[in-house]
């Protein structure tokens, strides 16, 4: 069974972040779905979680919705310096276009 839009969004973001980490030389950083309850041994990691969709009608009388997604991205690092470096790097990367895939 194919993923629906929220799962596709999470998976697309995970693939994008993982690819960019490798391309830019970051090593040992996992990119995970959500925020694992037991994350010991997984540090450092970036957690990606689609939280909600807020649809808005495209125009009055239309049945077409523009879908605005809220995605939470959490960075759990070995130290505060690494967290800040990852945060700044990730902010810059997310300003680029990324591909959305159907899984």
């Amino acid at each position: 069974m194919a993923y629906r839009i929220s799962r596709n969004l999470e998976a697309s973001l995970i693939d994008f972040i993982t690819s960019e980490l490798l391309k830019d030389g970051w090593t040992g950083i996992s990119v995970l779905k959500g925020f694992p309850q037991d994350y010991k041994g997984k540090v450092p990691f970036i957690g990606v979680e689609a939280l909600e969709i807020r649809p808005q009608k495209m125009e009055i009388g239309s049945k077409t919705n523009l879908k605005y997604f809220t995605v939470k991205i959490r960075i759990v690092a070995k130290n505060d310096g690494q967290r800040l470096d990852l945060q700044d790097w990730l902010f810059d990367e997310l300003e680029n276009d990324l591909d959305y895939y159907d899984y």
Side-chain angles (χ1 to χ4, degrees):
M1 181 171 166
Y3 285 9
R4 302 295 293 189
I5 193 166
S6 294
R7 287 180 69 192
N8 281 326
L9 178 61
E10 281 181 343
S12 294
L13 274 167
I14 289 168
D15 287 349
F16 173 77
I17 294 169
T18 301
S19 170
E20 295 303 302
L21 282 168
L22 292 172
K23 185 173 81 173
D24 289 351
W26 292 88
T27 59
I29 300 168
S30 301
V31 184
L32 309 171
K33 182 199 172 314
F35 187 79
Q37 297 301 318
D38 177 23
Y39 56 84
K40 292 182 177 102
K42 297 180 178 127
V43 174
F45 72 87
I46 298 171
V48 177
E49 183 177 13
L51 297 178
E52 68 177 339
I53 304 172
R54 287 177 282 138
Q56 289 186 345
K57 293 287 182 200
M58 195 161 162
E59 55 193 22
I60 296 174
S62 174
K63 292 185 180 185
T64 302
N65 287 301
L66 295 174
K67 296 174 182 167
Y68 294 96
F69 291 86
T70 301
V71 177
K72 183 183 280 190
I73 298 176
R74 298 178 184 162
I75 299 171
V76 178
K78 291 181 178 180
N79 56 55
D80 201 43
Q82 185 183 48
R83 180 187 58 79
L84 290 170
D85 289 342
L86 278 169
Q87 169 189 297
D88 292 342
W89 172 84
L90 186 57
F91 184 84
D92 290 342
E93 291 302 316
L94 291 175
E95 287 185 319
N96 298 324
D97 292 335
L98 59 114
D99 294 326
Y100 173 87
Y101 296 105
D102 287 321
Y103 294 86

